[in-house]
Amino acid sequence: MNEHILKKAFDNHFEASIEVWKAFADLCEEVHFKKNEKIKEVGKTAKYGYFLIKGSCGLFVWKENNFICTDLILENNFFADDISLLSGKPSQIEIVALENSTILQISKSNIDLLKKTPMGNILFLAGEENSTIEKQTQQIEMMTLTAEERYLNLMKNRPEIIQRVHQKHIASYLGITTQSLSRIRKNLLK
Amino acid sequence: MNEHILKKAFDNHFEASIEVWKAFADLCEEVHFKKNEKIKEVGKTAKYGYFLIKGSCGLFVWKENNFICTDLILENNFFADDISLLSGKPSQIEIVALENSTILQISKSNIDLLKKTPMGNILFLAGEENSTIEKQTQQIEMMTLTAEERYLNLMKNRPEIIQRVHQKHIASYLGITTQSLSRIRKNLLK
DNA sequence: CAACAAAGTTACCGTATGGCAACAAATCAC
DNA sequence: GTGATTTGTTGCCATACGGTAACTTTGTTG
């Protein structure tokens, strides 16, 4: 049944028959995480890539006594501790379920299998490309925009995030304190 | 002869015979760029990946009337307009030789060839991994450190950059104005 | 080498954002 | 549901950095 979710999520980007998605889904395992449960812990090595079916997740980096949010994930998206998954080494990255979440997880060895199929190759290449572009964009926004402009961008591009994720995480994601975010929000109610 | 340069550059990371590097080098073409010459222009599609043999290069993103420096490259490193090279689409990225430079360039099709060899696969995977980690680190530094701390980090980690690259590029790379960088430098002479 | 252009410095002032601290509001646990 | 934690708000003040603009230094080109 999960193949239909995958197919639907990528129908706009890839033409692939349901059988292809079935093959994909068969390499995955459906798992569930409670709110605030850790999906991947700091100091450990990533074993899986993930596709979020339901809920929301946050990626954080442990840095000098606090966690910085590097990414916020909603339904129908892939996510992973890229660094650790690619290198096979432990990382300082933590992944947490921000709501009760349903996830498809796929092991590193199955990812490698998939990458060898034409479809998987295209899919993962596109994934890498997306994440590279996103990181680049994020970096540039951080360097050129004010916190308020970044928040407005987020509201425009991913409005659901604003409604479903704690402000402390959004603030961290935007690179500011929760106080600053609170002031920005107040200011926007002008 | 370039195979020796490649072997030497990666001897600490990969055990590979000179024949393997020869095969690599044979897929490359040695090219030369004068100082300030554009290696890749904004709005065009990347055709090559690069390995810098001699000189220095800068990667910039065109953003609202000015160029932001996203990376500074010295000898013995790979670099590329990743986004465009991966996607096959034009990008807003420009690559410029900051000094007279000698470069090995390798076409996208040859990269794809190499990726299918065991050695090439490991090499490019390691490259992706490095660049992911670097981007992540850069982003976190931008969010958590002051401009002065970032400059000190750069001095510590890549001192040659400070000596060989214009301050305006370093400032841009650090996400500040050249005035601010000038003040920071003055301050450090305390 | 002279003349010009590019890069870097300094001063002045404005402003976005951080840190502390007290409080209010929302959520969680039993 | 009631108390206890967590999250978000607000005021006050400190500070890092940006923008403008004048100036100096360095580099380029004929």
Side-chain angles (χ1 to χ4, degrees):
Chain A
M1 49 188 264
N2 285 328
E3 55 267 28
H4 294 102
I5 293 173
L6 289 168
K7 183 167 180 4
K8 202 173 157 194
F10 293 102
D11 243 5
N12 300 327
H13 307 290
F14 304 99
E15 282 184 38
S17 66
I18 194 69
E19 286 78 20
V20 170
W21 289 115
K22 176 83 165 63
F24 190 141
D26 284 349
L27 292 175
C28 298
E29 183 186 359
E30 186 178 317
V31 288
H32 297 263
F33 292 92
K34 288 254 165 68
K35 180 172 180 174
N36 292 326
E37 205 175 337
K38 283 176 192 156
I39 296 171
K40 192 264 165 185
E41 295 186 31
V42 164
K44 303 218 167 163
T45 302
K47 294 184 181 139
Y48 304 100
Y50 306 97
F51 177 84
L52 184 57
I53 293 180
K54 186 165 169 304
S56 56
C57 298
L59 279 76
F60 302 86
V61 181
W62 177 254
K63 188 84 184 183
E64 286 154 22
N65 306 326
N66 52 2
F67 282 101
I68 295 162
C69 181
T70 61
D71 215 347
L72 294 168
I73 315 290
L74 295 184
E75 285 86 359
N76 293 325
N77 281 292
F78 281 111
F79 62 103
D81 175 355
D82 286 343
I83 293 177
S84 177
L85 200 60
L86 280 169
S87 69
K89 290 181 223 155
S91 72
Q92 291 306 103
I93 287 179
E94 172 171 306
I95 308 183
V96 181
L98 303 179
E99 304 170 309
N100 293 337
S101 296
T102 305
I103 290 174
L104 283 184
Q105 69 179 20
I106 173 166
S107 68
K108 182 159 167 55
S109 51
N110 280 346
I111 290 174
D112 291 340
L113 269 181
L114 266 178
K115 275 190 183 168
K116 285 175 188 151
T117 69
M119 182 59 194
N121 191 36
I122 292 173
L123 189 65
F124 284 105
L125 197 64
E128 276 170 31
E129 183 194 323
N130 261 344
S131 102
T132 303
I133 292 173
E134 214 169 277
K135 279 223 169 56
Q136 180 101 29
T137 307
Q138 227 177 323
Q139 191 194 335
I140 292 168
E141 292 205 344
M142 191 65 65
M143 282 167 55
T144 58
L145 303 183
T146 65
E148 179 169 317
E149 290 169 323
R150 276 175 269 149
Y151 181 70
L152 287 170
N153 267 1
L154 188 64
M155 277 185 72
K156 190 177 152 199
N157 299 327
R158 308 176 71 192
E160 269 208 87
I161 294 277
I162 311 278
Q163 282 145 24
R164 288 169 55 185
V165 176
H166 275 314
Q167 278 180 221
K168 63 172 185 173
H169 294 140
I170 294 175
S172 171
Y173 180 68
L174 293 173
I176 57 178
T177 59
T178 92
Q179 294 98 308
S180 289
L181 178 54
S182 182
R183 287 173 201 124
I184 287 169
R185 286 164 59 87
K186 188 183 179 190
N187 202 276
L188 290 174
L189 294 176
K190 59 178 172 296
Chain B
M1 50 190 265
N2 284 327
E3 55 268 27
H4 294 102
I5 294 173
L6 289 169
K7 182 166 180 4
K8 202 173 157 195
F10 294 102
D11 242 4
N12 300 327
H13 308 290
F14 305 99
E15 281 184 38
S17 66
I18 194 69
E19 287 78 21
V20 169
W21 291 114
K22 176 82 166 65
F24 189 141
D26 284 349
L27 293 174
C28 297
E29 184 184 358
E30 185 178 317
V31 287
H32 298 263
F33 291 91
K34 289 253 165 69
K35 180 172 179 175
N36 292 326
E37 206 176 334
K38 285 176 190 155
I39 297 170
K40 192 266 167 182
E41 295 187 31
V42 165
K44 303 215 168 165
T45 303
K47 294 182 182 142
Y48 305 99
Y50 306 97
F51 177 84
L52 185 57
I53 293 180
K54 187 167 169 303
S56 55
C57 298
L59 279 76
F60 302 86
V61 181
W62 177 253
K63 187 82 183 186
E64 286 154 21
N65 305 326
N66 52 2
F67 283 99
I68 296 162
C69 182
T70 61
D71 215 346
L72 294 168
I73 316 290
L74 294 184
E75 285 86 0
N76 293 326
N77 282 292
F78 281 111
F79 62 104
D81 175 355
D82 287 343
I83 293 177
S84 177
L85 201 61
L86 281 168
S87 69
K89 291 180 222 157
S91 73
Q92 290 305 106
I93 286 179
E94 172 170 307
I95 307 183
V96 181
L98 302 179
E99 303 172 308
N100 294 337
S101 297
T102 306
I103 290 173
L104 284 184
Q105 68 179 21
I106 174 165
S107 68
K108 181 160 169 57
S109 50
N110 280 345
I111 290 175
D112 291 341
L113 268 181
L114 266 178
K115 276 191 183 167
K116 284 174 188 151
T117 69
M119 182 60 195
N121 190 35
I122 293 172
L123 189 65
F124 283 105
L125 197 64
E128 275 169 33
E129 184 195 323
N130 263 343
S131 102
T132 302
I133 292 172
E134 215 170 276
K135 279 221 169 59
Q136 181 102 32
T137 307
Q138 226 177 323
Q139 190 195 333
I140 292 166
E141 291 205 344
M142 192 66 64
M143 283 167 54
T144 57
L145 303 183
T146 65
E148 180 168 315
E149 290 169 323
R150 276 176 268 150
Y151 181 70
L152 286 170
N153 267 1
L154 187 65
M155 277 185 72
K156 189 176 154 200
N157 300 326
R158 308 177 70 192
E160 270 209 85
I161 294 279
I162 310 279
Q163 281 144 25
R164 288 168 55 184
V165 176
H166 275 312
Q167 278 181 221
K168 62 173 184 173
H169 294 140
I170 294 175
S172 171
Y173 179 68
L174 294 174
I176 56 178
T177 59
T178 91
Q179 294 97 308
S180 289
L181 179 54
S182 182
R183 287 173 204 125
I184 287 168
R185 286 164 60 86
K186 187 183 178 188
N187 203 276
L188 291 175
L189 294 176
K190 57 176 171 300

